[in-house]
């Protein structure tokens, strides 16, 4: 299958890290699962996560859990640079490692760290997707930049108020 056809069935996630969210993790997971199930019903079977703390990892964990009952589902991890996710506290590094170990595919987008590597990763995810599921609190930053890029790229977005 060609990239243009594969893209029609891919959805990516964007959203804030835990400290910027107004939702509890439990409420966030419920809202994300609802949107992921809606996307699955719409024909989306491959999900791309940027693997950051918060929305990215929670969404990835949901996809992996749903994959247990639906073997059509696939998870792609898009890492911004080598070494990403290895030094977090609060159990996030362990969650990161569990998700990465269960992913169908992982890609490191940039060869090394730079402040711009996160946006490069986010734009890569949007360019390889036909839907974005976002958790957005209205503040400027990476999530807003990703939503703006998706809009400029004519990729539809589902936005959860976060």
């Amino acid at each position: 299958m060609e990239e243009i056809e594969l893209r029609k069935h891919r959805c990516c996630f964007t959203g804030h890290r835990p400290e910027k969210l107004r939702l509890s993790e439990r409420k966030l997971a419920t809202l994300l699962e609802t949107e992921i199930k809606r996307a699955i019903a719409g024909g989306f079977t491959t999900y791309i996560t940027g693997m950051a703390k918060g929305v990215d990892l929670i969404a990835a964990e949901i996809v992996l859990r749903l994959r247990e009952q639906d073997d059509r589902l696939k998870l792609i991890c898009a890492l911004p640079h080598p070494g990403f996710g290895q030094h977090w506290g609060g159990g996030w590094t362990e969650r990161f490692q569990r998700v990465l170990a269960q992913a169908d595919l992982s890609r490191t987008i940039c060869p090394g760290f730079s402040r711009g590597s996160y946006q490069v990763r986010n734009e890569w995810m949007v360019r390889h997707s036909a839907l974005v599921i976002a958790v957005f609190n209205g503040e400027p930053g990476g999530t807003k930049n990703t939503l703006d890029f998706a809009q400029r790229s004519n990729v539809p977005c589902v936005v959860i108020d976060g």
Side-chain angles (χ1 to χ4, degrees), residues 5 21 34 39 42 45 49 96 106-107 113 124 126 140 144 146 158:
E5 188 62 30
L21 292 168
T34 297
T45 55
T49 175
F96 172 95
S106 67
R107 284 273 185 264
F113 169 79
W124 182 91
V126 170
K144 181 176 184 340
T146 303
V158 173

Side-chain angles (χ1 to χ4, degrees), residues 7 12 14 23 27 52 60-62 67-69 80 88 93-95 101-102 116 124 144 146-148 157-158 161:
R7 181 180 177 180
C12 69
T14 188
L23 301 169
K27 178 66 174 172
E61 290 168 339
I62 293 166
R67 186 178 72 181
E68 293 173 9
Q69 287 86 42
W88 296 329
T93 294
E94 292 79 10
R95 290 171 81 172
Q102 296 177 67
W124 182 91
K144 181 176 184 340
T146 303
L147 286 168
D148 290 347
C157 299
V158 173
D161 184 17

Side-chain angles (χ1 to χ4, degrees), residues 13 25-37 40 47 55-69 73 75 95 99:
F13 304 107
E25 184 170 334
R26 183 180 180 147
K27 178 66 174 172
L28 173 61
T30 299
L31 294 169
L32 279 169
E33 185 165 341
T34 297
E35 294 305 332
I36 292 167
K37 286 180 174 178
I40 292 167
Y47 294 83
V55 171
D56 291 359
L57 282 173
I58 294 166
E61 290 168 339
I62 293 166
V63 170
L64 291 172
R65 185 171 43 77
L66 294 174
R67 186 178 72 181
E68 293 173 9
Q69 287 86 42
L73 301 183
L75 182 68
R95 290 171 81 172
V99 167

Side-chain angles (χ1 to χ4, degrees), residues 74-96:
K74 305 290 182 227
L75 182 68
I76 298 172
C77 298
L79 308 175
H81 55 79
F84 179 74
Q86 299 304 313
H87 307 289
W88 296 329
W92 288 106
T93 294
E94 292 79 10
R95 290 171 81 172
F96 172 95

Side-chain angles (χ1 to χ4, degrees), residues 73-157:
L73 301 183
K74 305 290 182 227
L75 182 68
I76 298 172
C77 298
L79 308 175
H81 55 79
F84 179 74
Q86 299 304 313
H87 307 289
W88 296 329
W92 288 106
T93 294
E94 292 79 10
R95 290 171 81 172
F96 172 95
Q97 290 169 341
R98 278 194 301 273
V99 167
L100 194 59
Q102 296 177 67
D104 295 284
L105 179 69
S106 67
R107 284 273 185 264
T108 302
I109 307 304
C110 296
F113 169 79
S114 73
R115 282 187 54 84
S117 62
Y118 300 101
Q119 189 61 28
V120 171
R121 183 247 350 246
N122 295 345
E123 290 178 9
W124 182 91
M125 293 191 312
V126 170
R127 281 195 308 276
H128 289 84
S129 299
L131 178 68
V132 176
I133 296 176
V135 179
F136 182 51
N137 66 10
E139 294 179 14
T143 301
K144 181 176 184 340
N145 293 345
T146 303
L147 286 168
D148 290 347
F149 181 78
Q151 184 178 19
R152 289 191 308 272
S153 302
N154 296 312
V155 176
C157 299

